Amino acid sequence: QSGETLHALTEYNDVNIAFACFLGRCGLCKVQVLVGGENLKTLTDIEELFFKGSSEAADERLACQCTPRGFVSVVSQYRYLD
């Protein structure tokens, strides 16, 4: 699905990553990019604001905001439990 956020792609592929606000405010969907960071579009304005001053932001993204253009592997600290 071209142009879809990482959040949408996790939903389509039945992957459990926690989400709450979907607006980039809560940070619940923050993921660490393990592989394929070059396949993510640049930080959105919302992500820039969210990660402002964070030293960890280099390999972290908000799944509700970022858009993959190719293969990406991420890990989330939070997951919904079935």
Side-chain angles (χ1 to χ4, degrees), residues 6 15-19 26-34 50-51 56 59-63 74-81:
L6 187 56
V15 175
N16 283 334
I17 294 178
F19 297 93
C26 72
L28 195 59
C29 69
K30 183 171 67 171
V31 295
Q32 179 183 9
V33 180
L34 301 176
F50 182 87
F51 290 114
E56 301 172 351
D59 66 345
E60 292 184 337
R61 298 295 298 265
L62 297 176
V74 299
V75 64
S76 173
Q77 177 177 347
Y78 305 104
R79 290 189 177 89
Y80 288 124
L81 299 176

Side-chain angles (χ1 to χ4, degrees), residues 45-60:
D45 291 342
I46 292 171
E47 287 179 295
E48 291 275 358
L49 184 60
F50 182 87
F51 290 114
K52 187 176 181 178
S54 172
S55 60
E56 301 172 351
D59 66 345
E60 292 184 337

Side-chain angles (χ1 to χ4, degrees), residues 1-4 6 9 33 35-41 67-74:
Q1 268 79 14
S2 179
E4 298 282 359
L6 187 56
L9 294 172
V33 180
V35 176
E38 69 277 4
N39 292 325
L40 292 171
K41 291 185 178 180
T67 306
R69 297 176 297 200
F71 177 80
V72 178
S73 177
V74 299

